Amino acid sequence: NAGVMQNPRHLVRRRGQEARLRCSPMKGHSHVYWYRQLPEEGLKFMVYLQKENIIDESGMPKERFSAEFPKEGPSILRIQQVVRGDSAAYFCASSHPPRSGGLYEQYFGPGTRLTVT
Amino acid sequence: KNQVEQSPQSLIILEGKNCTLQCNYTVSPFSNLRWYKQDTGRGPVSLTIMTFSENTKSNGRYTATLDADTKQSSLHITASQLSDSASYICVVSPDSNYQLIWGAGTKLIIKP
């Protein structure tokens, strides 16, 4: 009965390198959400995906950031040419398909802490 | 602008004491309000979810209240334990099916 899995838990990258963060949703969940959390701040929505489809990427920076959730395998958040300001905790959550106005749970993974040096 | 504000920013209490955390929101429309507990280095875990029509909900030693007229919520923790040390985050959902507006959290420290 595994929960949401994220790896790596910690990632160190030099400025200009690429960072790839992985998220395996809870079993039976087909919807994935990515959030970013800066120190002492709340979580900020980045992107919402279902398999092979981006539903809402309104919270994701237009450049350098991309996300995918392929038919097979984990969801990937990719940050190209990282800068110091990308240092943060990145959380993934998964859920069953949300229904309008309905109450549904998002289950969170443990996060990936990205440090850009 | 949709916002969720929490107070206090941090709180230190002795083990066994009660405490109340506050949340004010300006999210509109409103669907539901959630309280999450986030341990250091971990992802958030849901404590309670309340809709417009609910004004109180309990989960063990945690009791959340909601006043949708004044757009305020509180989380009361009874007989605190060392394991309650965490950040408590108030989250409001507008009338959509997935968007969540997150507060910055209250950092609670329980001392023996």
Side-chain angles (χ1 to χ4, degrees):
Chain A
N1 187 23
V4 178
M5 311 281 282
Q6 288 188 250
N7 68 80
R9 292 293 308 277
H10 300 273
L11 182 61
V12 179
R13 285 286 178 267
R14 289 200 177 93
R15 279 179 297 170
Q17 291 185 318
E18 178 180 286
R20 281 188 180 235
L21 288 61
R22 295 176 194 78
C23 170
S24 296
M26 193 177 279
K27 188 176 181 179
H29 287 181
S30 57
H31 292 246
V32 164
Y33 315 79
W34 285 93
Y35 294 86
R36 177 163 63 177
Q37 186 176 33
L38 296 171
E40 308 302 322
E41 294 189 14
L43 274 71
K44 295 288 194 301
F45 169 79
M46 297 181 74
V47 62
Y48 163 39
L49 313 103
Q50 64 181 91
K51 282 193 182 289
E52 299 184 285
N53 193 18
I54 297 175
I55 307 298
D56 181 353
E57 55 183 349
S58 60
M60 203 150 68
K62 294 286 186 283
E63 296 179 354
R64 301 188 299 108
F65 285 73
S66 62
E68 62 177 9
F69 189 15
K71 187 177 180 181
E72 302 289 339
S75 175
I76 306 284
L77 178 67
R78 183 181 176 207
I79 311 172
Q80 294 178 291
Q81 299 176 316
V82 296
V83 301
R84 287 227 172 96
D86 297 332
S87 295
Y90 292 83
F91 290 95
C92 165
S94 72
S95 75
H96 290 297
R99 293 169 291 136
S100 181
L103 297 178
Y104 73 101
E105 276 289 359
Q106 289 186 16
Y107 295 87
F108 285 82
T112 293
R113 273 140 195 89
L114 173 66
T115 302
V116 179
T117 61
Chain B
K1 183 182 176 183
N2 287 335
Q3 277 188 316
V4 176
E5 294 184 347
Q6 294 186 241
S7 62
Q9 197 170 15
S10 61
L11 181 63
I12 303 173
I13 63 171
L14 292 175
E15 185 180 9
K17 298 295 186 184
N18 304 335
C19 66
T20 300
L21 314 180
Q22 301 292 342
C23 172
N24 297 326
Y25 61 93
T26 56
V27 178
S28 182
F30 172 85
S31 173
N32 58 79
L33 184 145
R34 307 152 185 246
W35 283 93
Y36 282 85
K37 178 185 180 187
Q38 185 176 19
D39 291 308
T40 301
R42 310 286 279 275
V45 174
S46 178
L47 295 175
T48 62
I49 302 178
M50 290 183 290
T51 63
F52 186 91
S53 59
E54 297 174 291
N55 55 25
T56 187
K57 183 161 279 189
S58 291
N59 177 0
R61 294 180 296 102
Y62 301 104
T63 300
T65 65
L66 173 64
D67 185 335
D69 291 331
T70 62
K71 300 189 176 183
Q72 295 180 324
S73 176
S74 66
L75 180 70
H76 185 76
I77 304 174
T78 304
S80 60
Q81 300 176 358
L82 296 178
S83 59
D84 292 333
S85 294
S87 285
Y88 291 84
I89 310 171
C90 176
V91 184
V92 179
S93 179
D95 191 17
S96 67
N97 55 9
Y98 62 88
Q99 289 203 3
L100 302 175
I101 311 296
W102 293 73
T106 292
K107 187 170 183 177
L108 177 64
I109 298 172
I110 311 298
K111 293 207 163 183

